[in-house]
Amino acid sequence: MNIENVYGTDKWAAFGGFSPLITVFKSYHPLNPEIEDIINRYTFPVRFAKNKHMASPLKHNRYIFLILEGAVHGYLKIGNKKITTWIAAENELAGTIRNLWENQASDEYIETIDPVFAIAIPHEMSKLLYENFPIANYVGRKMTEIYFQGASERAYICRLPTALKRYQRFLISYPYLINRVPLKYVASFIGMRLETLSRIRNRT
């Protein structure tokens, strides 16, 4: 599937005339009109059906996505097994991590868990902003801080010694996901079989 703007010049009509990414950026720092114009020109809305790939090793990684509706998971494929490495839902960013900001293939997959409505953010736009606007670098740093905090938490969960402890920590860190996504993705994310997760939930 080619990712492209199918909404034409009216792409922001349903959003008050501007990209929702501007609101996200402004939550970190005020923006000047030039930055807002670049964001409006380069980003665009996109829809994906359920169980579709937003990114895969067969595609070059050209976008990060701001999820407006729906949920996705990132996974690696080992043989015939999918290993979920992260889950994201509304108001979160989704993108392949192992080649972040690079227009290159990755061994990661991003798959929709349910129908997704998102904003496509081209890497070329991010690089353009970083190279020309100190404000963009500040915003990028703040967003990267959030990403690294999340990555640290995911690594912590995976290293807990028992399935019960991993599940309990998941409930603390991601309470909004436990009833939001199918348990098979949660089980894979915290490193256990679905049957094990079901037994733990039945006991607690």
Side-chain angles (χ1 to χ4, degrees):
M1 173 183 176
N2 292 324
I3 300 172
E4 57 185 16
N5 173 28
V6 300
Y7 297 90
T9 57
D10 294 329
K11 61 183 178 179
W12 304 128
F15 299 95
F18 61 91
S19 172
L21 185 65
I22 290 176
T23 302
V24 175
F25 273 35
K26 281 185 172 180
S27 69
Y28 298 101
H29 195 285
L31 305 180
N32 62 46
E34 190 175 0
I35 291 177
E36 293 188 20
D37 178 65
I38 290 172
I39 293 174
N40 280 327
R41 285 192 287 114
Y42 277 83
T43 63
F44 55 91
V46 63
R47 291 187 182 274
F48 296 90
K50 181 178 179 179
N51 297 328
K52 295 297 182 181
H53 285 123
M54 300 169 70
S56 77
L58 300 178
K59 300 178 182 179
H60 280 255
N61 178 29
R62 296 174 55 202
Y63 301 94
I64 288 179
F65 300 93
L66 172 64
I67 301 173
L68 303 180
E69 300 173 8
V72 306
H73 73 125
Y75 71 87
L76 299 174
K77 194 172 183 180
I78 309 298
N80 293 323
K81 186 177 182 181
K82 295 179 179 181
I83 301 175
T84 295
T85 54
W86 54 267
I87 304 170
E90 287 84 0
N91 302 313
E92 295 183 307
L93 294 173
T96 54
I97 304 304
R98 295 159 72 87
N99 61 347
L100 189 63
W101 309 122
E102 299 299 327
N103 183 19
Q104 299 176 354
S106 169
D107 56 353
E108 294 178 276
Y109 297 77
I110 302 176
E111 184 179 44
T112 59
I113 295 173
D114 39 40
V116 164
F117 185 38
I119 303 301
I121 308 167
H123 292 335
E124 61 178 326
M125 184 206 77
S126 301
K127 291 181 177 180
L128 174 65
L129 292 178
Y130 287 157
E131 290 170 358
N132 292 279
F133 301 98
I135 291 173
N137 283 274
Y138 175 82
V139 172
R141 178 175 66 80
K142 298 302 290 184
M143 296 176 74
T144 302
E145 287 175 7
I146 294 173
Y147 160 72
F148 276 114
Q149 289 169 357
S152 176
E153 181 62 22
R154 292 192 296 272
Y156 177 76
I157 290 174
C158 291
R159 285 165 173 76
L160 291 174
T162 67
L164 176 59
K165 288 183 181 296
R166 292 195 295 275
Y167 174 67
Q168 290 173 333
R169 184 69 185 191
F170 179 88
L171 292 180
I172 293 172
S173 302
Y174 305 100
Y176 57 95
L177 290 179
I178 193 62
N179 294 314
R180 176 68 178 77
V181 302
L183 289 180
K184 65 179 181 179
Y185 299 116
V186 175
S188 178
F189 177 66
I190 57 180
M192 66 183 71
R193 297 173 58 198
L194 177 58
E195 294 81 1
T196 302
L197 177 59
S198 297
R199 286 197 300 270
I200 290 173
R201 282 170 57 83
N202 289 335
R203 294 200 305 264
T204 57

